[in-house]
Amino acid sequence: MKNIYPFLFACVLFLSNTLSAQTITTTVIKPPAQLHCNEVPAKLNNVVFGAIPPNSQNQPVVVFIHGWFDNGFSWFMAKNKWYENSYNAGYKTAFFFHSFSDAFEDNGRVIAQMIRETCKHYNTDKVIAVCHSKGGYDIDYALYNENMWDSVQGVITMSTPFWGAPIADLISVPFFRTILEALPIVGPIFQGKGTYQMQTPYMAGVVRPMLDNHPNNHPEKYHCFAAWGYQHATQFPNDAIPDDILKVVFKDYQPLCLDIPGFGPLAGNLMTLFMGVTGLLTEITNVQPKYENPAKNHKLNDGLAPYYSSLRPGSVEISQRPPSQQSYINHIDELLSSYSWNIVQPEIEYFKSNPTFRKNNLYKTPIENKVNNPIETAISSSDVQFIQGNKIEINTNTPNKLYVLGAYNKETIKVLDKHNKLIQTIPLSISTQGMFDIFREIDLSKLPNGNDYVLQTSVPITGLLKDGNPASIELNTHADKILYINEPLSFEVTLNQWNSDEANTKISGYLNRNMDGQGNVLHEKMIPISFEYDKEKNTFVCNDKLELEEGVYNVSVFAEGNNLKRFATSSILLKQNNQENKSNSFSFDIYPNPTSDVVNIKVDNVYNEKIKIELFDMLGKKITEQFIKAGETIQQIQLPIEALNVSKGAYMITVSLGNKKESKLLMKN
């Protein structure tokens, strides 16, 4: 039984099903007391209608809209009582099964179809929507662009990241993205356009202006619950949980509806561990002030959505602000009726008694918006190291936390002291089957204090190390600045509590475009950037002059001092103002990719300038370079990767022509 536990909590794990403008199907289920868990279909593009309660006269129709990494069955799984509680209250219900990581425009069109089907089924012209996470702005598109405003009486959201989710900025880092998208089963979720739309610059710089300035925008229809308890310990109402949770993993699975004794605490621990890791990653992501939520604060988060990002501009705030324990729950807790029903149900009653339709020019504002002066924090900084390779050096004078990304099959970590003596062997056997084990913390708590150790892994690993040293780096892209072609980028990296020689610290980094100006997902650009120490500003400045195409870019930087290493990442919505530009573009291809021995490089033209080809690791260290003479005809260039004795992992190939650079990600297997 223990072997199936990793599968049971993979609530992101049903195989990818693309959703288009297909015909919506419907299913009617039995009343809760008669319903077996295997009678609720987990089929995408489907609306599951609840039975009509006997006390439903004059009661509203409530639709439930799921979020990014779950499907509609999450409202039912593991004795989740949204349906039962709604039925007992007399509410007619509909549960929408749409795509989790599709673009909000595509999901919005499908949700609009589902609302029409729901109104037709119940012979009504209004519904109340309960939305978790990404579902809260998926419905935005349905309201604004699909003319659903008069059909939606009110929207209740639970931790919808209206200003973006910083974890999406981290996901867009190329060496993380490459691993995530290659994972079995869960990989398609990270490939979805909806995942990249959650980046903070896209949500704050594109989506929010588009929706908040829409002529039909009436934010009073939104009642928003926000949370900040990413460290909250999830507890299920019962210690025994049925096997129906596999229905979220495999849509065709027919559960036996049998309780698994003792699984409740384990399931809660898995959820708690995952939320703790993602909450920490949310904290350290360097969100830029221009794209930050109005409170400039994402350290208060529920594991995926920052508290203040979960408040739609002009909406009604139904949560109690930190440090209130009412909002001290995590992103997964909100899916469980045992935590959220008593929060959501009064809002359903409010909308029932206070219709907010815009018919006949009659529109009531439900209650005054509660947003007031928010808690302010400093610009975010990162105190973690990026890890890639087989060797990690730590000192246990401070507590160390190591987080690894991806799947590892029966591998080990050997802990060696300064005399190369084996102190401990830590198993590294992670079967990555779902969202709850993509990032895993390695337990280093049992190591004796005050010693230097080397962690030697049997295979190269990728991850992050939090070494307990308060030193951190702060990345500022000056996103408010108007950027012109052929002018310095002026990105800045500031060192905080740095106990090494700042002037001799090395800062390196790169840009990676992951969305173009039209919002399409792509991964074509990796551009190295350099930093110089500015004594007057006491910071490191990027003076590179680059011509960049419009889009959303990930910016990753690495700092390396005498005994300190730090990594920071952010995203930026970048558009350079056009000046006269007569330069010609160029491109190149690499293959095979991934490779284990040789990579071929093909440049598409012959040029009258010298061409430089460089190979970098992901910390910006140059491994090798080659030069092609000006005017030389280029058919194919080979780099002998195996002969360079580099380990498995991600690398960057850069081709330079004069002042222009193009880069591509190379995977060594």
Side-chain angles (χ1 to χ4, degrees):
M1 182 63 69
K2 184 180 292 186
N3 290 334
I4 72 168
Y5 284 167
F7 293 89
L8 295 177
F9 252 91
C11 63
V12 293
L13 296 194
F14 50 115
L15 295 172
S16 73
N17 292 272
T18 56
L19 199 62
S20 58
Q22 301 170 353
T23 302
I24 300 299
T25 59
T26 62
T27 305
V28 180
I29 56 178
K30 299 175 183 176
Q34 305 171 24
L35 183 68
H36 292 281
C37 66
N38 57 16
E39 295 174 333
V40 180
K43 183 175 67 171
L44 291 183
N45 237 18
N46 187 55
V47 181
V48 173
F49 295 122
I52 298 178
N55 57 335
S56 63
Q57 187 176 5
N58 299 322
Q59 294 284 41
V61 175
V62 181
V63 302
F64 292 86
I65 302 175
H66 65 78
W68 171 51
F69 60 88
D70 55 88
N71 67 13
F73 195 80
S74 57
W75 303 105
F76 298 87
M77 69 176 184
K79 299 182 180 179
N80 206 358
K81 296 184 178 181
W82 289 101
Y83 176 40
E84 180 180 340
N85 291 336
S86 298
Y87 183 89
N88 292 339
Y91 306 150
K92 298 178 280 288
T93 55
F95 299 86
F96 293 177
F97 287 67
H98 56 281
S99 174
F100 41 82
S101 64
D102 270 1
F104 81 98
E105 300 96 331
D106 296 333
N107 280 354
R109 283 187 284 268
V110 174
I111 288 171
Q113 289 180 265
M114 291 179 167
I115 291 173
R116 295 185 189 103
E117 288 290 337
T118 301
C119 290
K120 179 181 177 181
H121 176 82
Y122 286 118
N123 191 26
T124 185
D125 61 355
K126 49 181 156 303
V127 301
I128 297 171
V130 176
C131 309
H132 179 243
S133 192
K134 182 176 180 293
Y137 60 78
D138 283 343
I139 198 174
D140 266 353
Y141 192 89
L143 298 184
Y144 293 120
N145 293 40
E146 297 293 323
N147 299 316
M148 288 291 103
W149 264 111
D150 286 344
S151 299
V152 178
Q153 189 167 331
V155 180
I156 303 163
T157 64
M158 297 183 290
S159 282
T160 293
F162 292 107
W163 292 84
I167 194 73
D169 297 346
L170 188 69
I171 289 171
S172 66
V173 175
F175 38 81
F176 292 150
R177 173 188 59 79
T178 304
I179 294 174
L180 292 170
E181 292 188 355
L183 292 175
I185 304 178
V186 59
I189 295 175
F190 295 100
Q191 298 174 25
K193 183 177 179 180
T195 297
Y196 287 92
Q197 286 180 327
M198 288 193 295
Q199 291 177 97
T200 53
Y202 191 81
M203 286 300 300
V206 176
V207 177
R208 287 268 52 88
M210 176 177 62
L211 297 179
D212 296 339
N213 296 318
H214 196 283
N216 289 334
N217 180 34
H218 291 281
E220 302 91 340
K221 280 196 174 186
Y222 283 77
H223 287 197
C224 301
F225 180 84
W228 63 288
Y230 77 80
Q231 295 177 322
H232 179 260
T234 298
Q235 295 180 345
F236 281 90
N238 298 293
D239 287 341
I241 293 182
D243 65 336
D244 65 342
I245 198 167
L246 284 174
K247 194 79 170 180
V248 183
V249 181
F250 306 108
K251 60 185 179 63
D252 296 323
Y253 176 70
Q254 293 300 314
L256 300 174
C257 304
L258 297 177
D259 285 352
I260 303 175
F263 182 60
L266 175 61
N269 289 339
L270 287 172
M271 285 186 172
T272 302
L273 175 63
F274 173 63
M275 289 289 97
V277 173
T278 56
L280 173 65
L281 298 178
T282 295
E283 278 192 358
I284 61 99
T285 305
N286 278 203
V287 179
Q288 299 305 296
K290 180 179 180 180
Y291 310 127
E292 180 69 285
N293 58 74
K296 303 290 185 288
N297 188 328
H298 62 274
K299 293 185 180 297
L300 297 169
N301 70 83
D302 66 2
L304 286 176
Y307 185 95
Y308 293 102
S309 180
S310 301
L311 303 178
R312 193 179 188 278
S315 65
V316 174
E317 182 182 357
I318 62 175
S319 51
Q320 298 172 10
R321 296 194 168 191
S324 170
Q325 294 301 296
Q326 182 246 21
S327 55
Y328 187 73
I329 58 178
N330 67 48
H331 201 77
I332 303 299
D333 294 337
E334 291 165 297
L335 269 174
L336 305 177
S337 60
S338 55
Y339 289 103
S340 298
W341 173 254
N342 290 335
I343 295 169
V344 169
Q345 200 263 344
E347 307 309 316
I348 296 175
E349 288 295 310
Y350 180 87
F351 283 122
K352 180 182 74 173
S353 304
N354 298 272
T356 57
F357 276 71
R358 295 181 293 106
K359 293 181 177 179
N360 300 322
N361 294 322
L362 295 176
Y363 190 87
K364 280 187 177 180
T365 300
I367 57 177
E368 184 180 354
N369 183 15
K370 298 179 183 178
V371 175
N372 48 35
N373 294 327
I375 299 173
E376 295 287 345
T377 62
I379 296 176
S380 58
S381 59
S382 171
D383 61 353
V384 299
Q385 300 181 32
F386 169 70
I387 300 298
Q388 186 178 59
N390 299 74
K391 183 179 178 180
I392 306 167
E393 296 179 354
I394 64 171
N395 181 283
T396 54
N397 283 321
T398 53
N400 291 266
K401 293 183 178 296
L402 175 62
Y403 304 96
V404 298
L405 175 67
Y408 301 90
N409 183 23
K410 298 181 180 179
E411 307 295 343
T412 59
I413 300 177
K414 292 182 179 180
V415 183
L416 308 174
D417 66 11
K418 61 182 178 181
H419 302 295
N420 209 34
K421 179 182 177 181
L422 180 64
I423 302 300
Q424 182 182 350
T425 299
I426 301 174
L428 183 62
S429 182
I430 304 174
S431 177
T432 303
Q433 300 293 334
M435 185 66 73
F436 294 97
D437 43 24
I438 58 170
F439 257 107
R440 181 71 64 89
E441 180 179 353
I442 305 302
D443 185 9
L444 303 176
S445 62
K446 297 181 177 61
L447 295 178
N449 294 333
N451 295 314
D452 293 321
Y453 295 101
V454 172
L455 308 181
Q456 188 72 46
T457 61
S458 54
V459 294
I461 64 173
T462 298
L464 297 170
L465 173 66
K466 191 176 178 69
D467 58 22
N469 190 311
S472 64
I473 61 174
E474 180 183 303
L475 171 62
N476 188 349
T477 65
H478 296 290
D480 289 311
K481 177 183 175 182
I482 297 176
L483 191 62
Y484 293 97
I485 297 172
N486 295 324
E487 287 193 353
L489 292 176
S490 299
F491 299 164
E492 293 184 357
V493 173
T494 302
L495 308 179
N496 300 318
Q497 300 188 57
W498 205 256
N499 58 15
S500 293
D501 183 1
E502 291 193 11
N504 291 325
T505 297
K506 179 185 176 183
I507 307 292
S508 59
Y510 62 86
L511 297 174
N512 171 65
R513 189 165 76 129
N514 54 70
M515 297 182 76
D516 65 17
Q518 289 70 49
N520 301 309
V521 176
L522 43 80
H523 307 293
E524 67 193 24
K525 298 280 187 183
M526 288 194 66
I527 306 170
I529 53 177
S530 59
F531 290 82
E532 299 175 357
Y533 185 64
D534 188 318
K535 292 183 179 180
E536 293 184 2
K537 293 184 177 180
N538 195 30
T539 190
F540 292 81
V541 182
C542 176
N543 292 315
D544 293 356
K545 299 177 181 179
L546 302 173
E547 181 180 345
L548 300 168
E549 297 180 65
E550 182 180 359
V552 177
Y553 286 76
N554 172 258
V555 186
S556 293
V557 294
F558 305 87
E560 186 170 358
N562 293 334
N563 60 348
L564 279 175
K565 294 180 180 179
R566 287 294 180 263
F567 161 75
T569 188
S570 187
S571 293
I572 180 174
L573 179 62
L574 191 149
K575 180 180 181 181
Q576 290 180 318
N577 281 21
N578 290 326
Q579 293 178 339
E580 186 177 1
N581 177 31
K582 299 180 180 179
S583 61
N584 296 320
S585 62
F586 73 102
S587 63
F588 71 98
D589 294 315
I590 59 175
Y591 58 94
N593 189 14
T595 184
S596 59
D597 48 11
V598 174
V599 62
N600 300 297
I601 305 167
K602 184 178 180 181
V603 183
D604 66 351
N605 276 311
V606 178
Y607 299 93
N608 294 322
E609 296 180 80
K610 181 172 67 175
I611 296 176
K612 180 168 66 172
I613 297 171
E614 301 166 284
L615 179 68
F616 297 87
D617 66 17
M618 298 317 292
L619 294 175
K621 179 182 178 181
K622 185 187 296 184
I623 298 171
T624 187
E625 65 181 15
Q626 291 186 19
F627 293 91
I628 309 299
K629 295 180 180 178
E632 184 174 338
T633 301
I634 303 171
Q635 296 296 330
Q636 182 173 286
I637 306 155
Q638 288 189 336
L639 281 181
I641 301 300
E642 185 66 20
L644 295 173
N645 195 29
V646 296
S647 61
K648 177 182 177 182
Y651 297 85
M652 184 167 59
I653 291 180
T654 298
V655 176
S656 302
L657 174 65
N659 292 326
K660 298 181 70 64
K661 291 183 179 181
E662 297 287 339
S663 299
K664 291 184 183 294
L665 184 69
L666 172 69
M667 297 301 297
K668 165 70 164 54
N669 57 20

